[in-house]
Amino acid sequence: MKKYIIAILFLFTLTSCVNNTPIISTDSNQTTKKIIINIDEELELLESTGLRDDEVNVVEEPIYIGDNDEVSFKGNAMKQKSPLKIKVGNREEIQFNGYSYTIKTMELKNGDFITIKDKNGNVFVDIEVMTH
């Protein structure tokens, strides 16, 4: 009878240890950070603080990125100001229409600027990229 109790106790201990081991996922998406810049909120903040006059509303805070991150610019202001001209670093300027524009940070280098101009040629986003 002692052998059965010891065997049952041993099995109970073994199964409880197996069930408590953490499962570690190696999904590469877990290391990706998505940075979303809401242009509507940023422009509203610039206007409400009174730090800029009505003619100069430029989002220019630097952003800090890692290797596998994404940077997205979103908002109704992007559609209203379309067609947009977007320049990233030393690459050619592209034209864009829509509510959202995403850049993979593998395409960016430390010190690159992301510049977005509206249909009238006015710059409303001029952000420097900083890697960490």
Side-chain angles (χ1 to χ4, degrees):
M1 185 71 167
K2 252 185 178 180
K3 290 181 185 179
Y4 290 117
I5 294 174
I6 292 174
I8 291 173
L9 187 59
F10 176 73
L11 289 174
F12 178 71
T13 306
L14 183 62
T15 57
S16 66
C17 289
V18 171
N19 290 338
N20 289 333
T21 32
I23 298 172
I24 299 172
S25 174
T26 57
D27 186 12
S28 63
N29 289 336
Q30 288 183 351
T31 60
T32 301
K33 181 173 73 173
K34 295 183 181 184
I35 301 167
I36 300 172
I37 300 171
N38 186 324
I39 298 299
D40 297 335
E41 290 177 8
E42 293 291 332
L43 291 176
E44 185 179 305
L45 182 66
L46 288 174
E47 291 170 3
S48 67
T49 58
L51 297 175
R52 307 210 187 297
D53 59 27
D54 291 337
E55 297 175 8
V56 182
N57 283 321
V58 180
V59 179
E60 58 185 12
E61 293 294 319
I63 54 174
Y64 299 92
I65 60 167
D67 291 335
N68 296 321
D69 297 345
E70 287 182 359
V71 178
S72 294
F73 297 92
K74 296 184 177 190
N76 290 329
M78 294 201 46
K79 184 66 176 173
Q80 292 167 353
K81 295 174 181 281
S82 290
L84 303 174
K85 291 184 180 176
I86 302 172
K87 183 166 176 69
V88 179
N90 294 335
R91 283 183 238 119
E92 285 188 36
E93 198 172 67
I94 61 165
Q95 202 162 23
F96 174 78
N97 288 315
Y99 291 98
S100 174
Y101 185 77
T102 302
I103 303 168
K104 301 276 189 196
T105 58
M106 291 184 295
E107 303 170 11
L108 300 171
K109 297 180 288 198
N110 190 33
D112 278 353
F113 278 87
I114 300 170
T115 305
I116 303 177
K117 295 179 185 177
D118 65 11
K119 59 188 167 196
N120 299 323
N122 299 322
V123 174
F124 67 97
V125 174
D126 193 26
I127 294 179
E128 184 176 7
V129 174
M130 308 295 275
T131 58
H132 54 90

